Amino acid sequence: MSFTNAPVTRSLVYGLVAMSIAVSLLDIKHYFYILVDLHIWRFHQTWRALIYQLCYTNSAEVLFAAMTLYNMRAVERMWGSRKFATFIFISFFFTSIFTPTVLALFLRPLTLGLFNYLPAGPTPVIFAILAQYHAMVPPIYKYKVATSTSAATDDQMPGITFSDKSYRYLLAFQLALFQWPGSLLGALMGWLMGLSWRMEVLPRSLIRWRLPGWVVGMRTQRRSQEFEGLRRRLEGEGASTAAATGSQSQADGEGGRRRTMGQQVMDQFHGAF
């Protein structure tokens, strides 16, 4: 149980924890949440939409988010780090724009100003990953918690069926309720983003686009591989040429040593005279 073959997930977890601790130590938490009436309409601080997902403002959310991301590292292993990082980037971009927009233009007017707060934290991105995890990773086992003590067979016993994935959903659900309704809105927008990617609602060119390989530490070895292949090819050709030349020289030498009967007789006479 580790971050093997999941470097992007490892960076997300470490970065989230480090950023949250740094924000607390520097006492700048007030820059990372959004109050629509104050920050958007009055002071026009739209830049908050681009940074509110960079950290959480309390330790409980950091803990649950880190555990949830760790439990969903299988998505990166199935997709590959480059595709997974691209999905994180696109999800971050869209949820950073649409979540505050929905809150400011629709939910706040409909609730007469009661729904005004959007908490800090990458809850939308986490739920976008959770949508992929739900669709891609099957449960390993299932179990049933009986709700009655009456004797019955396993198939007919009344109860609630769970799987090994249930506690992962429970962690994410708790994360969505920490600062509701704002955190619940972020979770919903992230889930819709994940479904949009999954069902190819987004433009196909956007889904097929990938971040450069160096972003996830993939160094392009094309040039060195080309030189290595050329070197091996030249070595193989040199070895085959040397073998062919040696065979030909050996054949010529053998041809030079072979003589006819007449030449041998003449050699005998030349030796006598």
Side-chain angles (χ1 to χ4, degrees), residues 87-100:
F87 174 73
I88 295 297
F89 177 79
I90 295 176
S91 299
F92 180 88
F93 176 77
F94 277 98
T95 54
S96 295
I97 294 176
F98 287 112
T99 306

Side-chain angles (χ1 to χ4, degrees), residues 2 25 30 54 57 67 80 106 138 144 155 188-189 194 204 210 222 244 248 263:
S2 64
L25 293 177
H30 54 279
L54 295 181
T57 55
M67 289 191 298
F106 298 100
K144 180 180 290 187
D155 295 335
L188 178 61
M189 296 300 295
R204 186 176 297 271
R210 297 291 181 268
R222 184 180 306 171
Q248 184 176 1
Q263 290 176 341

Side-chain angles (χ1 to χ4, degrees), residues 69-118:
L69 286 171
Y70 177 79
N71 289 326
M72 295 189 298
R73 64 194 184 281
V75 177
E76 181 181 357
R77 291 172 177 171
M78 297 175 70
W79 267 359
S81 297
R82 189 177 181 185
K83 181 178 180 180
F84 184 71
T86 303
F87 174 73
I88 295 297
F89 177 79
I90 295 176
S91 299
F92 180 88
F93 176 77
F94 277 98
T95 54
S96 295
I97 294 176
F98 287 112
T99 306
T101 301
V102 170
L103 175 59
L105 299 182
F106 298 100
L107 295 180
R108 184 176 181 274
L110 290 176
T111 58
L112 302 178
L114 296 177
F115 198 171
N116 188 54
Y117 174 69
L118 187 62

Side-chain angles (χ1 to χ4, degrees), residues 10-52:
R10 181 181 62 237
S11 299
L12 284 176
V13 174
Y14 291 167
L16 178 62
V17 173
M19 187 68 180
S20 300
I21 293 175
V23 166
S24 298
L25 293 177
L26 297 175
D27 196 18
I28 53 174
K29 293 181 180 180
H30 54 279
Y31 288 114
F32 290 91
Y33 60 83
I34 298 176
L35 290 172
V36 175
D37 60 344
L38 182 65
H39 299 143
I40 302 299
W41 298 133
R42 184 176 178 182
F43 294 109
H44 308 290
Q45 296 177 350
T46 54
W47 50 266
R48 288 178 178 264
L50 300 177
I51 67 170
Y52 82 95

Side-chain angles (χ1 to χ4, degrees), residues 64 102 137 163 180 190 208 261:
F64 276 78
V102 170
V137 181
S163 70
W180 79 287
R208 292 182 176 179
M261 182 65 69

Side-chain angles (χ1 to χ4, degrees), residues 179-237:
Q179 300 190 53
W180 79 287
S183 57
L184 190 61
L185 172 64
L188 178 61
M189 296 300 295
W191 187 271
L192 291 177
M193 175 64 202
L195 290 181
S196 299
W197 177 286
R198 191 75 187 173
M199 301 175 65
E200 296 186 353
V201 176
L202 300 175
R204 186 176 297 271
S205 58
L206 185 64
I207 296 176
R208 292 182 176 179
W209 176 75
R210 297 291 181 268
L211 289 172
W214 57 265
V215 175
V216 294
M218 295 173 56
R219 296 182 178 86
T220 55
Q221 301 291 337
R222 184 180 306 171
R223 184 173 297 275
S224 61
Q225 289 177 357
E226 289 178 353
F227 282 115
E228 181 67 18
L230 179 61
R231 184 183 65 81
R232 292 179 179 178
R233 206 160 46 242
L234 290 175
E235 288 179 353
E237 292 177 357

